[in-house]
Amino acid sequence: KNQVEQSPQSLIILEGKNCTLQCNYTVSPFSNLRWYKQDTGRGPVSLTIMTFSENTKSNGRYTATLDADTKQSSLHITASQLSDSASYICVVSGGSTLGRLYFGRGTQLTVWP
Amino acid sequence: DADVTQTPRNRITKTGKRIMLECSQTKGHDRMYWYRQDPGLGLRLIYYSFDVKDINKGEISDGYSVSRQAQAKFSLSLESAIPNQTALYFCATSDPDRDATGELFFGEGSRLTVL
């Protein structure tokens, strides 16, 4: 069964600290993996996309990694800011239906001052 | 102005009422989607449309219907609302011809409460 699991479900950190969010998937065949950020009361916005051949990609203070062998991805946030408080959603494209998307349930990150 | 606009943003209604959520986009994308988001469950696909003449059911289409009035407009209807349809609803668009990775562009959401 094609699934996307995210951990932890929620996370609280202090401003300035680093954190890492995890995404494990069983989707096969795999096409790509995208991380979205969803601020409270807003729609999700894409942060970064990882394709099969990519191991690491950075977008400012956000760094995503992908291990296609173990089917794991992580999103590392460096020097967290209050504005990083949001839900982070992992979405995997793949499976037997072209373009099918599989959503994780998200990790709710809260950054405290 | 937002590229994907949803109306209404908030709606409270009673069981049995007919509700329509509207979505319009200025991105020029052919593909449009309706998702439902519940706490702890993530986003689930209700219906999607690849062009004006193409409508497809998603994973949770029961109790919902849609209309694609134009390339830019995609409406979601609840013919007879029930309390377990209380949720946050998102419209999204994509354009695989310009971006094969399938990035979704979401609206701001419509919060629906059914009493």
Side-chain angles (χ1 to χ4, degrees):
Chain A
K1 184 178 180 182
N2 292 316
Q3 289 185 313
V4 177
E5 300 286 342
Q6 291 188 243
S7 62
Q9 184 175 353
S10 63
L11 182 63
I12 299 174
I13 62 174
L14 293 176
E15 187 178 14
K17 299 296 186 182
N18 304 335
C19 67
T20 300
L21 314 181
Q22 298 288 346
C23 175
N24 296 338
Y25 62 92
T26 59
V27 179
S28 181
F30 172 85
S31 179
N32 61 66
L33 182 150
R34 191 181 294 273
W35 285 94
Y36 286 85
K37 178 187 180 188
Q38 183 178 16
D39 292 320
T40 301
R42 310 291 295 272
V45 176
S46 178
L47 280 175
T48 188
I49 182 172
M50 304 296 290
T51 58
F52 187 86
S53 60
E54 296 174 308
N55 298 120
T56 302
K57 183 181 288 185
S58 293
N59 177 6
R61 294 180 297 102
Y62 299 98
T63 299
T65 66
L66 175 67
D67 185 333
D69 292 331
T70 62
K71 298 186 177 182
Q72 295 180 325
S73 176
S74 66
L75 182 68
H76 185 76
I77 304 175
T78 303
S80 60
Q81 300 177 358
L82 298 180
S83 60
D84 293 330
S85 293
S87 177
Y88 292 83
I89 303 170
C90 176
V91 182
V92 178
S93 176
S96 58
T97 303
L98 184 66
R100 171 78 187 267
L101 299 178
Y102 296 86
F103 289 79
R105 298 184 178 189
T107 292
Q108 182 65 49
L109 174 66
T110 303
V111 181
W112 283 2
Chain B
D1 289 340
D3 293 322
V4 183
T5 303
Q6 294 183 228
T7 56
R9 293 293 312 279
N10 289 282
R11 181 72 183 269
I12 300 174
T13 191
K14 294 182 179 180
T15 297
K17 295 291 187 181
R18 183 177 187 274
I19 294 297
M20 178 179 285
L21 306 180
E22 298 183 331
C23 177
S24 63
Q25 53 114 345
T26 58
K27 299 188 74 66
H29 291 173
D30 285 329
R31 297 189 177 188
M32 298 187 73
Y33 310 79
W34 275 104
Y35 287 92
R36 168 178 173 160
Q37 187 175 46
D38 298 275
L41 291 182
L43 288 155
R44 293 181 290 168
L45 182 62
I46 306 172
Y47 270 97
Y48 62 101
S49 169
F50 284 175
D51 63 43
V52 175
K53 297 181 180 179
D54 178 77
I55 301 289
N56 303 281
K57 293 182 177 181
E59 53 187 299
I60 55 164
S61 59
D62 287 348
Y64 301 95
S65 63
V66 291
S67 173
R68 184 81 184 266
Q69 300 95 326
Q71 185 208 37
K73 296 183 181 297
F74 192 36
S75 300
L76 176 71
S77 293
L78 289 67
E79 296 300 325
S80 180
I82 56 178
N84 76 0
Q85 291 178 314
T86 293
L88 185 56
Y89 291 85
F90 285 100
C91 175
T93 72
S94 71
D95 187 357
D97 291 337
R98 281 182 254 178
D99 171 20
T101 65
E103 179 179 359
L104 294 173
F105 296 86
F106 287 87
E108 299 286 89
S110 295
R111 183 169 297 281
L112 176 65
T113 302
V114 183
L115 302 176

